[in-house]
Amino acid sequence: MAQPVLALGCALVTGAGCVWYLPALADLRAGAADRPPSRRTAALACLTGWATVAAVGLTLLLTASWWTPCAVAAAGGTATALLRIRAAVRCAGERRETARLWEGLTPDGPLPSRAVRRGAVAALAVTLPVAVSVAVLVPATGLALAR
């Protein structure tokens, strides 16, 4: 596929991604007093990821080689992943602190755990890729499930 076509695709995807990066920009502009540090770091990760997609599209237009867009994508993807991991670690610390504070306020002990939600997420993480693979591969191979 030609590089200008891929650059156009990057531009269209970046434009459609406004539903993610505009709220993230609002979180950053709100200030430290209004948003917890984990949410601000997650917003920065979101903006970094979308800026990476835009930068890859720009490098696809400006360069003839493939290694430059690949290097931009690798650097931006790494930065985005590191920021998102940092946000997750901060969020876990904030939740532990909140649980510790609520523990002193509730007479029956701490609030119930979120084990049910984690179980549901784990079940979706396992079954969703299998379901998508079956939905794609069965029509592609021409197999019929109900004969």
Side-chain angles (χ1 to χ4, degrees):
M1 188 175 296
Q3 286 183 336
V5 174
L6 291 175
L8 177 64
C10 286
L12 291 175
V13 168
T14 302
C18 68
V19 296
W20 288 287
Y21 62 75
L22 288 179
L25 186 61
D27 281 345
L28 284 180
R29 289 184 49 103
D34 292 336
R35 303 290 192 270
S38 64
R39 188 164 173 180
R40 291 174 52 83
T41 306
L44 186 60
C46 178
L47 289 175
T48 303
W50 285 106
T52 299
V53 175
V56 167
L58 189 62
T59 57
L60 283 169
L61 279 178
L62 298 178
T63 62
S65 66
W66 285 99
W67 68 268
T68 307
C70 291
V72 169
T78 302
T80 301
L82 290 174
L83 283 168
R84 189 62 189 115
I85 290 169
R86 183 177 180 191
V89 169
R90 279 186 171 181
C91 184
E94 291 167 0
R95 286 186 182 184
R96 281 192 303 272
E97 178 68 18
T98 302
R100 187 186 63 77
L101 293 173
W102 274 102
E103 190 174 297
L105 295 175
T106 55
D108 298 330
L111 296 173
S113 69
R114 299 173 64 158
V116 174
R117 182 173 176 210
R118 288 182 184 161
V121 169
L124 279 175
V126 171
T127 58
L128 191 61
V130 173
V132 169
S133 299
V134 168
V136 170
L137 292 177
V138 167
T141 58
L143 296 176
L145 291 177
R147 281 193 185 190

